Amino acid sequence: MSEAAAGNKYGQLSWAMIKTGILGYGGGPSVIPLIRYEAVTAYKWMDDEEFGEILALANALPGPIATKMAAYVGYHQKGALGAVISVLAHILPSSIAMIALLSFVQYLSGSAIIQGMIGAVIPVVAVMLGVMAYEFGEKAVKGLGIPAGIGFFALAFAMLQGVQIHPAVVIMIFIAYGAIHMNTVAKLKLRQERKLEKRIRDQQHKKGGGMSSGMD
């Protein structure tokens, strides 16, 4: 890769993460759809399936979800240096804003204007999360089938809201199941392929034996 192309990649990472850091108003959950848009839709650095897998793993790890996703996107494109640049580009805008507005925290917390801004942003964040959840759910149903997909959604909801198991534990349970499921499916598929190959060889052997007997 040329130096110009590498520099352009670093520039794209920085600009994408700066936008997510500035526009991700409301905490980590509101930033995830923005990072997904930049990484999947805008720059096509990865597909939805990979983004969903990394999001699940990031949720199981300690620390802010937005910085973990920013670090992965940067590492995915330009290794360790890309991860550092992505994280810095993501956190610097909000860090600078917090330092600049520190003296006005008390005023802003009680301002009716600020409370109105927060109230107006919440529906937008809810819709963004809902759209992303629907798209991931659609992919899950396609992969697992409608009955299994609905069943796992209900099970996850019951574990998170009913039993109130920690989300990281639920994610690890489903990751473990997914690994076992994929391994089992792969073994069954391999066994079926071997049986089919054996059946074809047996049929070919029988046909070859019948032709030899007829010639004798």
Side-chain angles (χ1 to χ4, degrees):
M1 181 182 293
S2 64
E3 293 184 2
N8 184 49
K9 183 69 70 174
Y10 287 123
Q12 290 176 350
L13 283 171
S14 299
W15 178 234
M17 293 302 107
I18 286 173
K19 286 189 289 183
T20 60
I22 293 176
L23 301 177
Y25 185 80
S30 66
V31 179
I32 300 306
L34 298 177
I35 295 178
R36 173 181 171 273
Y37 175 82
E38 298 294 338
V40 177
T41 305
Y43 293 105
K44 293 180 173 57
W45 291 328
M46 62 188 71
D47 55 23
D48 266 325
E49 184 176 356
E50 182 179 1
F51 186 86
E53 292 172 354
I54 299 305
L55 178 60
L57 290 174
N59 271 309
L61 298 174
I65 181 67
T67 52
K68 287 181 287 187
M69 294 302 297
Y72 176 80
V73 172
Y75 185 82
H76 183 276
Q77 291 301 301
K78 298 299 295 182
L81 181 58
V84 172
I85 290 175
S86 292
V87 172
L88 289 177
H90 177 74
I91 66 176
L92 276 179
S94 57
S95 299
I96 294 172
M98 288 180 63
I99 294 172
L101 297 174
L102 186 60
S103 59
F104 300 102
V105 167
Q106 294 299 324
Y107 169 76
L108 293 176
S109 62
S111 172
I113 296 176
I114 298 301
Q115 294 299 321
M117 291 170 60
I118 295 174
V121 167
I122 289 176
V124 179
V125 174
V127 171
M128 291 168 63
L129 291 174
V131 170
M132 186 177 68
Y134 173 79
E135 292 178 353
F136 283 146
E138 188 177 27
K139 289 182 178 294
V141 168
K142 288 181 179 179
L144 297 171
I146 295 178
I150 295 175
F152 282 125
F153 288 145
L155 178 60
F157 182 82
M159 295 172 72
L160 291 170
Q161 299 297 322
V163 186
Q164 295 186 346
I165 300 175
H166 194 279
V169 176
V170 176
I171 290 172
M172 293 306 298
I173 291 173
F174 277 83
I175 288 176
Y177 168 79
I180 296 172
H181 176 82
M182 293 300 295
N183 186 44
T184 303
V185 170
K187 287 182 178 179
L188 290 175
K189 185 177 180 180
L190 180 61
R191 187 179 302 174
Q192 290 176 350
E193 290 177 352
R194 288 177 177 176
K195 287 183 178 179
L196 181 60
E197 290 176 357
K198 185 176 181 300
R199 189 180 304 169
I200 293 174
R201 286 197 302 267
D202 291 342
Q203 291 177 351
Q204 291 176 346
H205 180 72
K206 289 179 180 179
K207 289 180 179 179
M211 291 175 63
S212 298
S213 298
M215 291 176 66
D216 292 341

